[in-house]
Every structure is written in C-alpha cells, then in structure tokens.
C-alpha cells in the first residue's frame, strides 16, 4: 500500500485512512501530498453539523448519508470529538436498508479526537476534509458536539453550518449567549415529537428575523424527528436550496476565501512556533521558570532572553 496522491484520487480507502493518521500525528510527510492534491479539493460541499450532546446529530447524518448515496453522490464524514467520548447514541454509518456495495464505494467515515491539542484539531479537520474531497467525495459532513469551541471550529471549516437543537434547548437569551445565532446558517429542531418544538421554532424564526444581518441570509428553521425519519428529506432538500442561495449571493465564496486566508496564517504561526521551541530553548525556559522565586523575574524579561537564544 503506497501512500501517494494518485491512490487517494483513486479512492483507495485504506490509503486515505493511513493519510488521515499522518494528519492526526502531524507527520510532515503528508504536506507534499496535500499540496499535490489541492486542485482536486476545491469542489466538494462541506456541511457542518453541530449542536448539544445527544441532540440527534448522528441520526440526522445517517439519513443524510443514505439520501445522498441514493442520489448517486459520494459522502465523506468526519466526526470531530473535541472533548469527551460521544454519549453513545446513534453510531455513524448505520447501514440499515442500504445497498452494501454502494455504501462501500461511496461513503468514508472517520472520527478524530483532539489528543489535547484543540487548536490543532480545527486545522487537521480541514486537511482531512481536503483528502476526502480529493478522493472524489462530493459532500463532506463534519459532525461535532457543540460544547464551546468545537462548533466555532466547525463553522470555520464548513461552507454551511447546521445547528441542531431540541425542544428543551432553551430560551432566547441562552441561545444568544451560546453564540449559536452567529454561526448557524440553518437550524434544525430535532426530537420534534416532544413538547415545545413548535414554540422553539417559532421563537427562533422571530428572533432570526429581528436580528437579520444584512450580509447574510436569514437561516431557515426546520423541525425533524430524526429517529423516525420525519422531515429529514425536506431538511436535506431545503439545505441544498439554501446552499444555492448562499452561493448566489457570494456568501460561500467569501467564506471560502476567509478560510483560505486563515489557513495560511495558521500554518505560518504553527511553523514559527515549531521552529522556535528547540530543545535548547525548552531547556532555557525550564531553567528560567524552575523555582518559586522565578516569578519575581518579569515575564517580559524571560521572553526577551528566550528570543535571544540561537
Ligand atoms: N425522541 C427522539 N429521540 C431521538 C430523535 N432523534 C434521535 N433520537 C435519539 O436521541 C439519542 C441521541 O441521538 P444521536 O443521533 O446519537 O445524537 P448526537 O447528537 O449525535 O449525540 P452525540 O454525538 O453524542 O452528541 C439516540 O438515542 C437517538 O435514538 C428524535 O427525533 N426523537
Ligand atoms: Mg453523534
């Protein structure tokens, strides 16, 4: 099994897996491959799905995968787990009622943990998205639990961000506080078999209308019962319609350019940090900050000294 760009273009899933492991381990070998593949990464549509633990994200994603594959599309899924293990609900890749062969060819699912390196996770998620896009996946889905930073990283990595809520997700103020209004392009109220679903979607619509930002389209709000498959097809169709609208008004292009610029900046920062923290500097740093008394030295002074080290 050779790890080369063509094997990835030819959709060799085992090679893709290996390449993803290199990305996870920050193995520099992968850089040249990503450079080579870049022209093939530009067309995939990247959909971010986020929301509170257990909201039904994976159940929804399973439906999306099946529907896209039935339509003849191929799908790559990256489940990003920034903190704790998943709540143990629906497994991604539930192949029920799916033609196994179609699935094997057209679906690739991988989960990624942070290994304590939260900042790096966003960067790696995008690299994995690129690999999957280059392997011919037309749709890339990122699923992540929205518990703080994760949903913001996903919003940056995706063309369109879907926030999945449940009827209990709370009042206006909670939603504003959570910053979900800013990142969501599309809302789904799942578990709409429960009380309060109609009220929440109504409230959200009013709120989104009131706070509509001129540069953005008003996010649609849809109700689903993912466990029974209710409203799921409508969700997918409306998602694609909304995506088209976002393309037409230039929003997707602006978002992609922003992403591109940020990635360059992050790569430069990453590289500089890597180069800076040589073992010599690490040693000096430990030396300067070893004792309790060391807090008496100004951090500015220590930083200056470290920057002088050759
Ligand atoms: N009542 C009800 N339960 C649902 C619905 N959709 C999903 N569930 C259930 O909710 C639980 C969690 O579903 P998941 O799809 O795993 O949710 P998730 O958001 O992916 O969870 P995490 O990834 O752990 O954050 C499972 O037991 C599902 O069967 C729904 O529409 N109504
Ligand atoms: Mg899940």
């Amino acid at each position: 099994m050779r790890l080369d760009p063509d094997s990835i273009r030819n959709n060799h899933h085992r090679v893709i897996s290996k390449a993803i492991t290199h990305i996870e381990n920050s193995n520099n070998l992968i850089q040249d491959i990503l450079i080579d593949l870049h022209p093939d990464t530009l067309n995939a549509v990247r959909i971010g799905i986020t929301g509170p633990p257990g909201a039904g994200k994976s159940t929804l994603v399973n439906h999306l995968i099946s529907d896209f594959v039935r339509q003849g599309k191929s799908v790559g899924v990256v489940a990003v787990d920034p903190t704790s293990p998943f709540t143990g609900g629906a497994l991604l890749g539930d192949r029920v009622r799916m033609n196994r062969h179609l699935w094997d060819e057209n679906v690739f699912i991988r989960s990624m943990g942070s290994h304590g390196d939260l900042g790096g996770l966003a960067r790696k998620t995008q690299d994995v998205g690129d690999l999957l896009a280059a392997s011919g996946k037309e749709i890339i889905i990122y699923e992540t639990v929205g518990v703080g930073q994760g949903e913001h990283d996903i919003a940056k990595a995706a063309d369109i961000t879907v926030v999945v809520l449940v009827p209990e997700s709370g009042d206006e103020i909670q939603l504003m506080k959570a910053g979900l209004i800013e990142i969501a392009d599309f809302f789904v109220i799942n578990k709409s078999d429960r009380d309060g679903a109609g009220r929440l979607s109504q409230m959200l619509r009013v709120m989104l209308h009131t706070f509509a930002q001129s540069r953005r389209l008003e996010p649609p709000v849809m109700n689903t019962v993912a466990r029974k498959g209710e409203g799921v097809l409508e969700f997918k169709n409306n998602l694609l319609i909304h995506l088209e609208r976002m393309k037409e008004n230039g929003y997707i292009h602006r978002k992609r350019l922003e992403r591109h610029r940020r990635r360059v900046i992050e790569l430069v920062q990453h590289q500089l940090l890597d180069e800076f923290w040589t073992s010599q500097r690490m040693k000096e740093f430990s030396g300067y900050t070893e004792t309790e008394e060391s807090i008496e030295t100004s951090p500015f002074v220590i930083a200056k000294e470290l920057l002088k080290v050759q």
Side-chain angles (χ1 to χ4, degrees), residues 240-280:
L240 294 180
I241 291 170
H242 196 64
L243 196 66
E244 277 311 306
R245 282 199 208 114
M246 286 168 70
K247 274 187 190 154
E248 279 163 21
N249 94 348
Y251 179 56
I252 297 273
H253 293 288
R254 284 201 298 279
K255 220 173 175 177
R256 285 184 179 168
L257 180 59
E258 227 173 89
R259 181 158 81 217
H260 186 60
R261 292 167 61 100
R262 202 167 32 231
R263 286 179 83 180
V264 175
I265 291 172
E266 280 172 11
L267 280 172
V268 170
Q269 286 173 341
H270 186 70
Q271 181 79 29
L272 287 176
L273 277 177
D274 248 18
E275 285 169 16
F276 181 80
W277 286 111
T278 56
S279 54
Q280 180 60 23

Side-chain angles (χ1 to χ4, degrees), residues 54 56-59 86-87 90 92 143 145:
K57 299 178 292 296
S58 298
T59 313
F86 286 26
T87 52
L92 272 174
E143 177 190 330
V145 189

Side-chain angles (χ1 to χ4, degrees), residues 51-60 62 85-91 143-146 164 190-194 224-228:
K57 299 178 292 296
S58 298
T59 313
L60 271 174
N62 284 336
F86 286 26
T87 52
L91 276 182
E143 177 190 330
T144 195
V145 189
V164 182
N190 189 43
K191 307 202 181 180
S192 286
D193 46 336
R194 293 188 185 165
T224 58
V225 184
R227 193 153 68 180
K228 296 186 194 151

Side-chain angles (χ1 to χ4, degrees), residues 116-130:
D117 173 22
L118 260 186
L121 190 58
R123 190 161 37 83
K124 290 172 187 175
T125 305
Q126 301 195 21
D127 291 348
V128 173
D130 281 357

